Amino acid sequence: MTATVAVTAAPAAKESVAQKVSAYAAPLAAAGATATPKAPAVVGLIQSVVAGVAREVRVIINGVSTVTAAAVHAVQVVATGPIPKSPAGLFQHFVYTPVHTVAEAWIDTELGHQVNGTINRLAGSYVIGDGAAGTAEHPDGGAGGWLFGDGGAGWTSTVAGQAGGAGGRAGLVGDGGMGGAGGAGAAGGQGGTGGQLMGIGGGGGQGGAATTGGAGGAGGDGAGLLFGIGGA
C-alpha cells in the first residue's frame, strides 16, 4: 500500500506596509509633478500685469507733470513778460501763446500720444497732433491735426539747386510749419499756413548759400478767423 503525502502550498508573502504606501504615493507624486509648472506660469503672469500697470502709472504721472510744468511756465511768461500794446499782441500774449504752449506740451508726452492716438482712430481722421517733418522723398511738411496741431517743418535741401520743402499747414488751432532751407543757390521753402481759427504762419526757409544765393521762402499766411499772424 502506497502512502499519500499531502503537499501544502507555501503561504504568499505578505505585502509590506512600505509597499502599500508606495503604491498609493506613486500616482499622487505623478499628479503633483504635472501640476508644479503651473505655479511659475501664474507668477509670471502676475508679474507681467503688475509691470504693465506700473508702466502706465508712470506714463500718466509723467504726462501730468509735464503739462503742469508747461502751464506754470506759461503763467509765468504772461505775468512777467512785457505787455503788448496792439490788440493782436494782447490776444497772443494772454490767450494764444499760453494755450499753444500747454497743448504742444500735451502732444509731446507719451500720455498725449496714447490718448490722441485713440481719439484719431475712433474719429477715423487726424484730429490732434503735429504734422510730420518733410523728407527728401516727401519734401513738404505734413498738415497738423484738423482740430489742433502745428504743421510739420519742410525738408532742408542738401542738393545744390533744389529748393527746400514747404512747411505744413496747421489745423483749426496751431502754427504753420517752418519752410526748409534751400540747397546751394536754391530758394527756401514757403512757411505753412497758420490755424484757421487761431494760429501763426510758419517762417519761410532760408535760401541756399552760393555765389548767387537762393531767395528766402515766403512766410506762411496768418489765416486765423479769431487770431492770425503771418510768418516772417
Side-chain angles (χ1 to χ4, degrees), residues 75-128:
V75 170
Q76 290 175 339
V77 171
V78 168
T80 61
I83 306 300
K85 295 181 180 180
S86 68
L90 287 170
F91 189 92
Q92 179 181 4
H93 182 75
F94 286 104
V95 180
Y96 181 74
T97 298
V99 170
H100 184 264
T101 298
V102 174
E104 279 297 310
W106 162 259
I107 286 176
D108 291 339
T109 64
E110 186 173 356
L111 179 61
H113 291 165
Q114 293 181 4
V115 174
N116 297 341
T118 300
I119 292 173
N120 295 340
R121 284 192 298 272
L122 292 175
S125 62
Y126 197 39
V127 182
I128 303 173

Side-chain angles (χ1 to χ4, degrees), residues 5 19 30 35 42 54 129 144-145 163 175 184 193 198 211 214:
V5 180
Q19 290 173 325
V42 172
D175 293 347
T193 302
M198 296 190 296
T211 303

Side-chain angles (χ1 to χ4, degrees), residues 24-61:
Y24 285 106
L28 294 175
T34 57
T36 300
K38 294 182 181 178
V42 172
V43 172
L45 177 61
I46 293 173
Q47 290 176 336
S48 177
V49 170
V50 171
V53 171
R55 180 183 181 282
E56 289 306 315
V57 169
R58 287 195 298 271
V59 168
I60 293 172
I61 292 173

